[in-house]
Amino acid sequence: MSIREPHLIPQPRRLAVSDGICVLDEHTTLEAPTGTHTHHLAQHLRDITGLPLPAVPAAAAGEGSRVVLRLTEEQGAPESYRLTTGPGLVTIEGVTEAGLFRGAQTLRQLLGPEAYRRARPGGVPAWRIPAVAVEDEPRFAWRGFLLDVARHFMPKDGVLRYLDLLAAHKLNVLHLHLTDDQGWRLEVRAFPRLTEVGSWRARTKLGHRASPLWDPVPHGGYYTQDDIREIVAYAAERHITVVPEIDVPGHSQAAIAAYPELGNTDVVDTTALTVWDTWGVNPNVLAPTDAVLAFYEQVLTEVLELFPSPYVHIGGDECPKDQWRASATAQARIAAEGLGDEKGLQSWFIRHFDRWLTARGRRLVGWDEILEGGLAEGATVSSWRGYAGGIAAARAGHDVVMCPEHQVYLDRRQAPGTDEPVPLGYVSTLENVYRFEPVPAELTEDEAARVIGAQANMWTEVTENQQRVDYQTFPRLAAFAEVAWSELPAPAERDYAAFERRMTAHYTRLDALGVDYRPPSGPHPWQRRPGILGRPIEGAPPIV
């Protein structure tokens, strides 16, 4: 293969290119410290190179080139690494095994797009790598991607594939949106009807909720607990944390359809409810009763057994208060607890689970609506309705993950006009995402430190299969990954033209990975469905 000028994404902090090359071939050996994760990394390097890379200590190394993985005792960010390549030697040094893994992803990019294919028809390759010195570390500790599997179910293999894609872009959090009005996707052994009933809907709205079209085929699916254990373990091998979301007290019709007693039975006949088949904000919310709290405590008990993540997301967004206003049970709870109004009731609900999770050594995360009625003491805020919620939370001393809808909601259309598959809402281009700044300028230095990261959200109301999810997610996720990892200038000063040049090489990597991204020239013919499944809705309210 020919030597390539490095076109790395995300952009490393420091990169120096010098004369010379390093050749990796069937004689190359591997030197690595012992450890479970290092063992996985060694196998990962064998997989991406197609080389045997026998593990030998330095003293036993032969005449061939060497790949050396080394844990250092230096101080540094947990995922920092140094990568040096030169004649006969590749060295990756990391403060942690996670740092070694991130460095391996940079090495993979240096190898070229062939390193992203699962097999090499030409046999055992000889890789020619430019001589480089890279010093790198992430800007943010939380570099997340939300995958909504509730609106449209993605089978387990698709989730594993996305974990590979996140790892290739140095992202480290997969936020799994597991429950919503349109489906419950997690096996809960204490409550089997959540999946027996709640994981299937009879039909599905096609396109935006303004569309008159329906898909009459039942849609559904769920992950068994063994599936989840596999997903979590696969993520851990790639140093990715899987954060589960169990949405309460709104976005709960699938659960209420399975167990009608969870709803506001003194207001609505919940026995008539089914799993919702359209999009938008649903009026059916959980009842604020002790029985409902106990039900979700049992659900979360099983969630904690499956997900070792220190964070558990409980939603808390888009909870209409009409049923609570009309419910004698809800009004009695407001009076008994001295909550003042329905916003206070929502805060009471969130605070309960904040205390419950904290007592078990976990941290609650919620959408910025959890600010309404008073912020739960230990909560982390996902700021999606712009920056205001994140600013308020940071100033109150709470951690924040920035994911404002206008910047990093990937379900939004990527270009003006009507040739997008579903021209939903406002336009969010690749350049728009690249110029996203997670830390608001008005925060002080101490307040800014509360912004622990950023997240891109892929909601799937109008993405009915993996091909469509790919189209919406890429290439914008590559731009987001650079924003979350790299130390970039202020948005207006970022060199987008240089990023585009690096993306030219990155598209070849995505091609090798089989990613059905939106090409720079516009949608492929299969992707153009003007005016069929939706229409441009300027300023349309988001569907979350």
Side-chain angles (χ1 to χ4, degrees), residues 200-275:
W200 286 91
R201 58 179 181 263
R203 64 175 188 169
T204 299
K205 172 70 73 173
L206 279 176
H208 189 274
R209 59 179 175 266
S211 165
L213 303 180
W214 296 89
D215 179 353
V217 177
H219 177 84
Y222 68 92
Y223 308 108
T224 68
Q225 295 203 354
D226 283 341
D227 290 337
I228 292 296
R229 291 187 181 96
E230 180 182 356
I231 289 168
V232 168
Y234 195 83
E237 290 175 3
R238 288 147 183 79
H239 300 276
I240 295 172
T241 300
V242 183
V243 175
E245 181 179 354
I246 305 297
D247 214 335
V248 297
H251 290 286
S252 297
Q253 183 161 317
I256 297 169
Y259 291 93
E261 63 271 23
L262 297 174
N264 294 282
T265 56
D266 58 345
V267 176
V268 64
D269 178 12
T270 56
T271 63
L273 295 178
T274 60
V275 178

Side-chain angles (χ1 to χ4, degrees), residues 29 42 136 139 141 163 273 275 288 453 499 514 531:
T29 58
D136 204 6
R139 180 185 180 191
L163 285 167
L273 295 178
V275 178
F499 173 75

Side-chain angles (χ1 to χ4, degrees), residues 3-86:
I3 297 299
R4 296 172 172 84
E5 184 72 17
H7 292 287
L8 302 178
I9 290 179
Q11 185 178 38
R13 297 227 171 181
R14 286 172 287 280
L15 167 67
V17 182
S18 56
D19 294 334
I21 61 170
C22 179
V23 178
L24 305 183
D25 58 24
E26 58 186 323
H27 303 295
T28 302
T29 58
L30 176 69
E31 178 188 338
T34 59
T36 301
H37 282 291
T38 308
H39 169 77
H40 290 311
L41 176 55
Q43 188 56 50
H44 179 63
L45 288 171
R46 295 182 182 106
D47 290 341
I48 65 178
T49 62
L51 299 174
L53 296 181
V56 298
E63 296 298 321
S65 58
R66 288 191 301 145
V67 176
V68 177
L69 307 178
R70 182 181 298 136
L71 289 170
T72 72
E73 296 182 357
E74 300 175 11
Q75 297 296 314
E79 295 175 274
S80 62
Y81 69 91
R82 283 198 299 263
L83 168 66
T84 56
T85 65

Side-chain angles (χ1 to χ4, degrees), residues 297-319:
E297 286 175 0
Q298 183 60 52
V299 169
L300 289 172
T301 295
E302 296 194 28
V303 167
L304 298 191
E305 291 170 355
L306 294 170
F307 295 91
S309 164
Y311 296 94
V312 175
H313 208 294
I314 52 78
D317 62 313
E318 294 183 328
C319 178

Side-chain angles (χ1 to χ4, degrees), residues 132 134 137-139 166 207 211 257 313 365 370 417-418 464 534 543:
V132 300
V134 177
E137 65 180 73
R139 180 185 180 191
L166 299 188
S211 165
H313 208 294
V365 191
I370 66 174
T418 59
E464 66 276 7
I543 309 173

Side-chain angles (χ1 to χ4, degrees), residues 144 182 216 223 232 235 263 290 297 326 332 459 483 516 525 543:
Q182 296 86 1
Y223 308 108
V232 168
D290 292 339
E297 286 175 0
W459 303 104
V483 169
D516 237 324
I543 309 173

Side-chain angles (χ1 to χ4, degrees), residues 328-346:
T329 299
Q331 293 303 311
R333 174 69 73 179
I334 291 171
E337 302 287 345
L339 302 175
D341 59 15
E342 291 75 23
K343 286 186 177 180
L345 184 58
Q346 178 168 337

